[in-house]
Amino acid sequence: MTVDRKVIPLRRKFLAIMAMFVTIAFFIAHLTVSHFVFDYLENELKADIKDRANIIAARSVDFIKANNYNEYEPVLANLKAIPRFNYVHVYDVEDGKIDFFSSYNKGTLPTIAPKMDQLEKFKEPVISDKIIEYISPIKSGEELVGYSYIQMTTEAYDQLKFTTFLTLAVGYLLFMAIGAYLTLHMHSMVLQGITQVSTGIRSISQKRDYSQRIESMDSVEFDMLSKNLNILLHRTEKYLQKQDSAEQEILKLNQELEDKVSQRTEALKESNQELLSTLEKLHQFQGQLVESEKMASLGDMVAGVAHEVNTPIGLGVTASTLLSDRLGEIKTAFEDKTLKSSQLRKFLNEGEENVGIIYRNLNRAADLISSFKKVAVDQSSEEDRRFKVSELIDEVILTLAPQLKTKPVDLQIDCPSHLTVVSKPGPLNQILINLIVNSIIHGFENQEEGVINLNIMQLSGQLHISYADNGKGVDQALKNKIFDPFITTKRGEGGSGLGLHLVYNLVTQALGGNILFDSELGHGVRFDINFPVTIVET
């Protein structure tokens, strides 16, 4: 944003400088004249009135001492020959008392009051309003016999002052006129050179012909300016020639660059199309891998549950086989009539024990199968239903019993037993299974035992799950990529790197919540999960 500046003509500046210079010069001259001339005239005027006062005093002594005022009045009347005298008062002093003795008034002036009470005021000549006043003592030797008051006009002095001021004013105007003429003449001389230079530059600018040159001038200063401008024009001409060559080269390079860019653009379009196709396939493969991860997790549970179910069924089969053998022995003894009471008592005791074994193990197998069915149904369903969180956790632990037996794990659970919610149990089930399995496989690797802390609470319409273990933790390089797909430390050992990626998707998409992760190498991991639920009051 530019600010408009007021442009002032050079002539006006010259005239202003000249006027200021003349004004200051005459102001100083006026002060000098006032100081030397006016002060000199004023001192002469005061000395003159004192001299005349001394003359009047000398002629008044005898008359005052003789108290002969009648003969003194004609003496004072002779002062009318001197027009400068306005008033003369003579006072006598007797026994310290001042009395009026005689006076002179210019005929055209009225009588004024005596000035006997103003001796101190007019002890020295006082100039005011075209008059000068003075009271002088009249002495006879050392004896004070009276006073004389003299008032004289200062018209000549004032006329001289006026004439001086008029002369200064006329001189000021004259010098202003001469200065203005000289200034305009100098301005014309300067303007002629500036006009010649500006005309040449304007012509060069309009025609864009930097081969032109400005002509030489009579003035040394302007001639030097024209030479420097011609040097600048010469350099500008060379620069523009180089610039034109460079622009042609740039245009050529730009054309070649555009051709290369067009070729590269076509190649990039083809590459982008291939990348999009590959990315789409990767998304498909990733979805298949995630589903495979779910099925692998379900397969691990099936294998674990099958192993758990085999044990009670095997015990039941063993007990039933033993019971069948003992029953055959009793039957044979009974038919042969060799059955003894002790033998029958032993059979009954063993039969009761075997039946108990069969019953307990069949119930154990039935519980395992029921828990597995619930977990399997929950994992395959993403519909909301009402459930107790503590019961869901018990089913998960029961399902993971085979994995938990492979390593001593202290599972510390803090969950209100009455906490009942409406949500999706399937994703929550899958999340807990993946976190616990991840701790067993990765966190507690090379550790004899481990501790898992699972804390669950409700927070204003949300379920908060805090999961932590004391495993080996996660390296800083993997910390920010822990939820990315295919990130695993078990590459080549069966790890797919989709477990925690699946957990992240289940929390954020299936449950509509968020998950935070924190870990330090050697100090385990911590997951904080929050998602909205409907709390059911019990």
Side-chain angles (χ1 to χ4, degrees), residues 444-462:
F444 301 142
E445 185 182 16
N446 300 326
Q447 289 187 202
E448 295 182 359
E449 58 184 5
V451 177
I452 295 176
N453 290 288
L454 185 62
N455 186 291
I456 298 177
M457 66 180 71
Q458 58 168 329
L459 296 173
S460 62
Q462 289 197 333

Side-chain angles (χ1 to χ4, degrees), residues 237-411:
E237 183 182 5
K238 284 189 174 181
Y239 174 78
L240 289 176
Q241 291 175 354
K242 292 181 180 179
Q243 192 75 11
D244 290 338
S245 300
E247 287 180 357
Q248 294 298 325
E249 186 67 23
I250 289 172
L251 289 174
K252 181 179 178 182
L253 291 174
N254 284 341
Q255 186 61 43
E256 294 177 357
L257 184 60
E258 287 179 2
D259 294 340
K260 290 182 180 180
V261 168
S262 298
Q263 296 174 3
R264 297 289 175 86
T265 302
E266 292 299 325
L268 284 174
K269 286 181 179 178
E270 295 177 1
S271 299
N272 286 339
Q273 192 62 38
E274 293 178 1
L275 286 173
L276 289 173
S277 177
T278 303
L279 185 61
E280 185 177 355
K281 291 180 181 178
L282 282 175
H283 281 305
Q284 294 176 358
F285 292 151
Q286 182 179 345
Q288 293 174 3
L289 286 172
V290 169
E291 292 298 324
S292 299
E293 181 72 14
K294 289 183 180 180
M295 295 305 297
S297 176
L298 187 61
D300 290 341
M301 286 191 296
V302 169
V305 169
H307 175 75
E308 286 295 308
V309 171
N310 282 335
T311 300
I313 290 178
L315 292 173
V317 170
T318 302
S320 62
T321 302
L322 181 60
L323 182 60
S324 177
D325 293 340
R326 293 292 183 271
L327 183 59
E329 293 177 359
I330 292 298
K331 182 179 180 181
T332 302
F334 178 74
E335 291 176 351
D336 294 340
K337 297 182 179 181
T338 58
L339 182 62
K340 299 179 181 178
S341 59
S342 59
Q343 187 179 6
L344 181 60
R345 188 179 298 108
K346 181 181 179 182
F347 168 75
L348 292 174
N349 291 334
E350 290 179 353
E352 185 178 3
E353 183 178 351
N354 287 329
V355 168
I357 291 172
I358 293 170
Y359 177 75
R360 287 193 302 273
N361 283 282
L362 288 177
N363 278 338
R364 170 66 175 166
D367 291 340
L368 287 171
I369 292 171
S370 176
S371 174
F372 173 71
K373 285 174 63 179
K374 287 183 179 179
V375 172
V377 170
D378 286 342
Q379 286 185 341
S380 62
S381 173
E382 293 191 358
E383 295 181 357
D384 289 343
R385 71 173 178 86
R386 173 176 173 174
F387 62 93
K388 278 190 176 182
V389 180
S390 58
E391 291 181 356
L392 183 140
I393 294 173
D394 291 339
E395 292 169 2
V396 170
I397 294 172
L398 186 61
T399 304
L400 293 176
Q403 287 89 336
L404 293 172
K405 285 181 179 180
T406 59
K407 188 181 294 288
V409 176
D410 182 9
L411 195 59

Side-chain angles (χ1 to χ4, degrees), residues 199-211:
T199 302
I201 293 175
R202 187 183 301 111
S203 174
I204 293 170
S205 176
Q206 290 175 351
K207 296 179 181 178
R208 296 181 181 274
D209 182 8
Y210 294 95
S211 62

Side-chain angles (χ1 to χ4, degrees), residues 21-153:
F21 171 75
V22 173
T23 301
I24 293 173
F26 271 86
F27 179 73
I28 295 173
H30 172 70
L31 291 179
T32 304
V33 170
S34 298
H35 179 71
F36 289 105
V37 177
F38 295 161
D39 285 356
Y40 173 77
L41 292 175
E42 185 177 326
N43 291 332
E44 285 294 315
L45 192 62
K46 290 180 179 180
D48 179 63
I49 198 172
K50 285 183 178 181
D51 291 339
R52 295 183 185 276
N54 290 334
I55 293 171
I56 292 172
R59 296 191 65 183
S60 302
V61 173
D62 294 336
F63 291 99
I64 294 174
K65 291 177 71 175
N67 197 21
N68 189 359
Y69 62 86
N70 290 325
E71 295 181 5
Y72 185 60
E73 285 185 355
V75 175
L76 292 178
N78 292 329
L79 294 176
K80 64 183 179 180
I82 305 175
R84 292 178 58 198
F85 281 96
N86 289 338
Y87 299 98
V88 176
H89 291 180
V90 178
Y91 310 107
D92 65 345
V93 177
E94 187 175 357
D95 299 329
K97 183 179 179 182
I98 302 174
D99 292 322
F100 183 82
F101 182 72
S102 184
S103 68
Y104 163 78
N105 292 356
K106 185 185 286 189
T108 58
L109 299 176
T111 304
I112 62 173
K115 304 289 184 176
M116 295 176 292
D117 56 346
Q118 299 183 20
L119 294 177
E120 291 297 325
K121 178 179 180 181
F122 299 114
K123 190 175 181 180
E124 290 293 332
V126 177
I127 300 174
S128 63
D129 194 20
K130 298 183 180 181
I131 62 172
I132 180 170
E133 299 173 277
Y134 176 60
I135 295 179
S136 173
I138 302 174
K139 293 184 179 181
S140 176
E142 296 297 328
E143 180 185 1
L144 178 66
V145 296
Y147 291 96
S148 64
Y149 165 75
I150 301 174
Q151 183 188 107
M152 299 177 69
T153 181

